[in-house]
Amino acid sequence: RYLAQLTIENTIKMPLPAPYVANVLAEFKMFEWAGVGFGEEIWLQISKAVKRLAAQTEAKKIRFWGKFLCTSKDVYVIEAKANKEDDFASIPQEDPHGKGLNEYTYWVTQDLLGEWQKLPDVKAEHIVQAREIKKMLTGNLNESVHSYPFFSSKESALMRAQIARISASTVIVPAGIYKVNPDNPKEILPDEEAVIPGYADLKGTDKWVHLNSNILKIGKEDYPTLPEGSPDQEKLDKMKEADPVIDRLRLISEDKYGTMESYWQKTIYGDEQQFNQQGKEGTTSYSAIAFRPFRWPGAVTVFQNGKWQSIYVGYGIQRGGDTINPIAPLGILGDPEDPSEQPEPNPLKLPDKIAVSYTHLKLPTKAQVQISVVAGALKK
C-alpha cells in the first residue's frame, strides 16, 4: 500500500515504501495470543505511526520494537534500518552508525500522534554502566540519571543502552533463515534457499537462534585490534580468554544462567490440531508458540502460522544479577539513665582537726594570723 498524500493545512506527497514496513495490525493479533496487547485503537495508532515514520526516513527495514513502562509516562519505540545517510556524527572508538551495535536506529515518543525523537547511537561505556545499575526510566529523555554506581549521561543514553542489551538477548528467529557472511563473520545475510519451518519443527529451543550479536563485557560485539608489539596485548588476550567472542546466529538452547535447566520459557496457545492447507501441500496449525527469556521480563517472541515477531513491554530492568545493597547504619543509642541524687561535695561530718599548711602560700605573718582565726571559727 502507498500513502498517496497527507493533508495537514497543505497537501504533502509522502510515498510509502511498503515492502519493508512491518504489518503491525497482523502482528497485533499474533501478540494477543501471548497476552501482549494495548487495545485495537492503540495498535492502529502504532501502525499509522510506523508507516508515517517509514515515509519520512526512507527506512530500509522498520518495525514496532516495544514499549518502556516509565514512572511518568510510557515510551513507545520503533526500530529501523536507514536507507540513506543520517545526521549522526561518527564517534571515535565506537561502532559507526549503521554497523555493529549501531546497525539499527531507534525513535521514541510518548504520544503516538505526536513527533518521534531519534535516540543517539549507543556507546560501549554506557552499556557497561547500565549493567551495573537497576534504574526505572522516567520517560524524560533529558533527565539526569541518579544512580549508584554512577551513570555518566542522560536518560536517552540509558534507554539506548538498554535497547541494545534487550535486543541482543531476546530477539530470536528460526534457525536456517539467515546465514553468516563468509567474508565478514559479524554480518548475516538472508538464506535464499531457506524454507520456513513448520509449527512442529519450532517447538524446541534448538530450532531458534539469536538474530543480533552478543555483547561482550567491554560493551562491544568484538575486541579492538592492537598494533603489533603493543604492551596491552597480553591483557587483551586474557580478556578474550575470560569472555570469548560468540558467533552470530547462536542457538538459544545454549543460553545458561546459574543452575537453571532452561533459560527460555515456552508456552503453547490454542489448539495444536494439524489441518490440511487448501491449495498447498503439507499441514498447518493455527496455535501460537511464545518464547520468553528468564532474565528480561516483558520480552516475548511469538510464532504462528509461518510468521514470527519479537516485542518488549517492560520496565527495562534485568532480573537477577549483582546488586549493590548499602550497609545500614548502626542502631541509635538509647538515652542514658538519669543520675540519682548525691550529697553535695562538702563532707557531711567535719573532721576533728583541720590541718592547714601555709608553707606553700608564702604569706606575710599578719595574713597567717587571719587564716588561723577563720580556721578556728570553722571548727566551732
Side-chain angles (χ1 to χ4, degrees), residues 87-103:
D87 54 354
F88 279 92
S90 299
I91 304 175
Q93 299 180 352
E94 301 290 348
D95 291 336
H97 184 66
K99 302 291 183 181
L101 299 180
N102 292 315
E103 179 179 2

Side-chain angles (χ1 to χ4, degrees), residues 41-57:
E41 182 179 354
I42 299 298
W43 278 112
L44 180 60
Q45 294 179 7
I46 293 173
S47 176
K48 296 297 183 182
V50 170
K51 292 179 181 179
R52 182 172 67 252
L53 194 60
Q56 294 173 352
T57 61

Side-chain angles (χ1 to χ4, degrees), residues 365-380:
T365 308
K366 185 176 180 181
Q368 294 178 0
V369 173
Q370 292 177 351
I371 291 176
S372 299
V373 173
V374 174
L378 291 174
K379 183 177 181 182
K380 294 179 179 181

Side-chain angles (χ1 to χ4, degrees), residues 58-342:
E58 300 182 12
K60 187 183 300 183
K61 296 179 182 179
I62 188 167
R63 74 179 184 98
F64 177 64
W65 184 87
K67 176 182 176 181
F68 281 111
L69 306 179
C70 304
T71 57
S72 61
K73 193 173 181 182
D74 298 341
V75 174
Y76 297 90
V77 183
I78 287 180
E79 175 189 86
K81 189 172 184 179
N83 194 28
K84 62 179 183 179
E85 294 295 331
D86 288 323
D87 54 354
F88 279 92
S90 299
I91 304 175
Q93 299 180 352
E94 301 290 348
D95 291 336
H97 184 66
K99 302 291 183 181
L101 299 180
N102 292 315
E103 179 179 2
Y104 294 96
T105 307
Y106 294 89
W107 282 267
V108 297
T109 187
Q110 292 181 323
D111 183 9
L112 292 171
L113 303 179
E115 297 296 325
W116 290 78
Q117 185 171 349
K118 187 188 302 181
L119 291 179
D121 279 349
V122 69
K123 295 182 180 179
E125 64 171 335
H126 294 158
I127 293 180
V128 174
Q129 294 171 357
R131 282 173 168 165
E132 298 178 352
I133 64 176
K134 291 188 176 182
K135 179 73 173 179
M136 288 191 64
L137 301 171
T138 64
N140 181 9
L141 299 182
N142 295 322
E143 184 79 13
S144 298
V145 180
H146 303 286
S147 65
Y148 183 83
F150 175 72
F151 189 82
S152 61
S153 189
K154 303 292 185 180
E155 188 167 298
S156 58
L158 176 59
M159 184 179 295
R160 181 62 182 87
Q162 296 299 69
I163 289 175
R165 296 177 62 204
I166 294 170
S167 298
S169 301
T170 66
V171 178
I172 58 176
V173 296
I177 301 298
Y178 294 91
K179 62 181 180 180
V180 178
N181 186 352
D183 299 330
N184 183 8
K186 288 299 176 183
E187 182 181 356
I188 59 174
L189 303 172
D191 191 348
E192 298 178 356
E193 300 179 357
V195 178
I196 298 178
Y199 170 83
D201 299 329
L202 294 177
K203 287 185 178 181
T205 55
D206 58 339
K207 301 298 183 180
W208 292 83
V209 296
H210 288 276
L211 179 63
N212 299 308
S213 299
N214 177 58
I215 302 179
L216 301 170
K217 293 181 180 179
I218 61 173
K220 298 184 177 182
E221 65 175 7
D222 202 354
Y223 290 101
T225 302
L226 299 179
E228 187 177 355
S230 173
D232 297 328
Q233 186 63 47
E234 183 179 355
K235 180 180 178 181
L236 181 61
D237 293 339
K238 292 182 179 179
M239 293 173 61
K240 291 181 178 181
E241 183 178 356
D243 185 24
V245 177
I246 301 178
D247 297 334
R248 292 289 298 268
L249 303 177
R250 62 195 185 281
L251 291 172
I252 67 172
S253 59
E254 299 176 358
D255 295 341
K256 304 295 180 183
Y257 180 68
T259 58
M260 294 182 60
E261 296 182 0
S262 177
Y263 180 87
W264 292 82
Q265 177 190 5
K266 180 188 70 175
T267 309
I268 298 177
Y269 301 92
D271 184 12
E272 297 186 69
Q273 176 67 40
Q274 298 289 324
F275 298 93
N276 294 326
Q277 302 185 74
Q278 186 176 3
K280 298 181 181 179
E281 297 182 357
T283 59
T284 186
S285 175
Y286 297 100
S287 64
I289 308 175
F291 291 91
R292 290 180 171 86
F294 170 77
R295 298 206 66 188
W296 288 105
V300 61
T301 298
V302 184
F303 174 86
Q304 185 184 40
N305 200 17
K307 298 179 181 180
W308 65 90
Q309 189 57 275
S310 299
I311 192 173
Y312 178 80
V313 181
Y315 295 99
I317 298 178
Q318 189 180 47
R319 176 187 286 143
D322 298 331
T323 57
I324 294 180
N325 299 316
I327 300 176
L330 299 177
I332 300 176
L333 299 178
D335 295 334
E337 296 181 0
D338 294 334
S340 59
E341 294 185 1
Q342 300 290 337

